[in-house]
Each structure stands twice: as structure tokens, then as C-alpha cells.
Amino acid sequence: DAKTTQPNSMESNEEEPVHLPCNHSTISGTDYIHWYRQLPSQGPEYVIHGLTSNVNNRMASLAIAEDRKSSTLILHRATLRDAAVYYCILSAQRGGGFKTIFGAGTRLFVKA
Amino acid sequence: GEEVAQTPKHLVRGEGQKAKLYCAPIKGHSYVFWYQQVLKNEFKFLISFQNENVFDETGMPKERFSAKCLPNSPCSLEIQATKLEDSAVYFCASSPLGTDSSYEQYFGPGTRLTVT
């Protein structure tokens, strides 16, 4: 199965942009790239997803490399509330349904 | 409901005892997933259901773990004869039916199982 690789942790200053990288070199053609984040003592929360094209929503942007072997989650202006563990996940089609493949996540620290 | 509900919030069991966790998916969602999260943050996929049918159970330690999703009932995850290494937070997630894998999963708040 394909897997994702992320840095263990990253640090950012408040109000600055944050770029969280993810490598998924063994991704398959139909696998979607999802990002979730987990705040302390909560379940993961959906952030964004994409297949081939870059995506924007109210929370973040997702930049996907042309060969799809890597992607970057972009938080345009980090706030203290963005401090969380960010997971880059592949959502893979298998046998008529789908399964999710979690990586270890990146813990984002945001400094005031 | 509009949120995935999990009960209980905390569960403490002595080693060898049975543990049963419950999950009510969002109404209308066809997929249910169970994950185990231990201290390292990493999520281990356990099992998924498409409606009441097991879709993928490749992550389940079958000798002690079982799960069901029956119509008109919460889904359940049962661990017979718990071991210390089963201590973790167990998350349930649900997702709407789709023809591809683009659908987001909605996670519940988790059940923290402590085996003593």
C-alpha cells in the first residue's frame, strides 16, 4: 500500500504563512490526497483534499506536485488555534470502496 | 445526527476483561471506519463497513477484536480479553457513499480505553 511521509514537527510565527510538506511517492493514480488536523483531545477534522489540481478552501490551500508524489498544505496566516497535528492521508480506492492510509503527522507549533 | 457520536468517552478494564465501544455514524453516511490511536499519534486502521457489510478488515486482530454495524443500531467494536497494549483512543469515522475516494471522513470524539 502507498504511504505518506511528513516531518515530525514544524514551528511558525503567528500571522505568517505555513507550508506543511508531505511525500507520497508510491501514490496510485486514483488515490486522493486528504489533509486532516487533530487538536488536543479531539478527533481529526477534515481540512482539504485534492486529486491532481491545486485546491483552495476557507481553511487552507493544497498544492499538489505535477507528478503527484508530493503535496503541500498551506495555511495562509497561522493563528494560535492552528496549533495541531496535521495528517496527510491517502484515500485509496480498493475493490469498489475505499480505505484511508494515515501517516504519522506533523505537529505544528505556533508562536505568538 | 450531524455528528459522529461515540460512547463511552472513557473505559477502564482490567486485563482479560471484555471491552465494548459504540459509534453512531452521521445519518445517511454509508461508510464507517474504526481506528486505533496510541501514544505516537499514529492511526492504525482496524476495520471499515459499507452499510452493515464488512468492507475491509485487514487491520483487525481477529482473535480478540470483532465489530458490527447492524441496521438501526449503533456500530460496535468489541475486544475480548483485553491486553495492556490495547490501551489507546479508538476513533470511529463515517463517510457518505461515493463512487470514488474523494469523500471526507467525519470523526467522532473517540473512546479512551485504559487496560490495567
Side-chain angles (χ1 to χ4, degrees):
Chain A
D1 266 339
K3 68 173 194 175
T4 67
T5 306
Q6 301 175 252
N8 288 336
S9 64
M10 290 185 68
E11 200 172 82
S12 171
N13 293 317
E14 203 176 9
E15 304 289 309
E16 290 185 355
V18 182
H19 290 232
L20 297 164
C22 180
N23 287 321
H24 29 79
S25 57
T26 56
I27 191 171
S28 296
T30 54
D31 295 351
Y32 277 79
I33 302 157
H34 288 241
W35 283 81
Y36 285 74
R37 71 179 186 182
Q38 187 177 25
L39 299 168
S41 302
Q42 294 187 25
E45 169 191 35
Y46 169 82
V47 177
I48 200 166
H49 78 274
L51 183 62
T52 55
S53 304
N54 295 343
V55 183
N56 299 299
N57 67 19
R58 63 175 179 80
M59 288 182 75
S61 295
L62 176 60
I64 301 173
E66 201 169 323
D67 63 5
R68 299 207 332 122
K69 293 185 176 182
S70 65
S71 61
T72 302
L73 177 71
I74 302 164
L75 306 179
H76 296 286
R77 287 179 64 202
T79 69
L80 296 177
R81 286 175 294 179
D82 291 323
V85 179
Y86 287 79
Y87 292 95
C88 168
I89 295 159
L90 298 183
S91 185
Q93 269 193 294
R94 297 289 184 272
F98 61 93
K99 64 187 294 184
T100 48
I101 302 158
F102 271 81
T106 296
R107 184 174 294 278
L108 176 66
F109 297 93
V110 180
K111 295 186 296 183
Chain B
E2 291 299 314
E3 290 183 342
V4 175
Q6 288 189 249
T7 55
K9 192 170 180 180
H10 300 282
L11 188 59
V12 180
R13 288 289 179 266
E15 204 172 6
Q17 291 185 317
K18 185 172 74 175
K20 195 163 185 178
L21 291 61
Y22 297 92
C23 168
I26 293 173
K27 194 174 180 182
H29 282 192
S30 299
Y31 285 95
V32 171
F33 300 78
W34 284 99
Y35 298 92
Q36 179 193 59
Q37 185 181 36
V38 292
L39 290 174
K40 287 182 183 178
N41 291 327
E42 202 147 341
F43 283 78
K44 179 187 175 186
F45 166 79
L46 294 175
I47 190 169
S48 61
F49 288 84
Q50 186 175 8
N51 298 311
E52 55 270 22
N53 303 308
V54 174
F55 173 65
D56 184 343
E57 57 182 344
T58 53
M60 285 282 271
K62 290 183 189 174
E63 60 277 7
R64 297 185 298 110
F65 283 60
S66 62
K68 293 178 188 176
C69 271
L70 300 175
N72 303 313
S73 296
C75 296
S76 64
L77 176 70
E78 189 167 336
I79 309 172
Q80 302 284 344
T82 52
K83 295 183 178 181
L84 294 175
E85 64 255 32
D86 298 331
S87 295
V89 181
Y90 291 83
F91 287 99
C92 170
S94 72
S95 185
L97 177 65
T99 56
D100 59 28
S101 51
S102 67
Y103 285 86
E104 63 192 80
Q105 293 184 38
Y106 296 78
F107 283 79
T111 292
R112 179 176 295 279
L113 172 65
T114 302
V115 181
T116 60

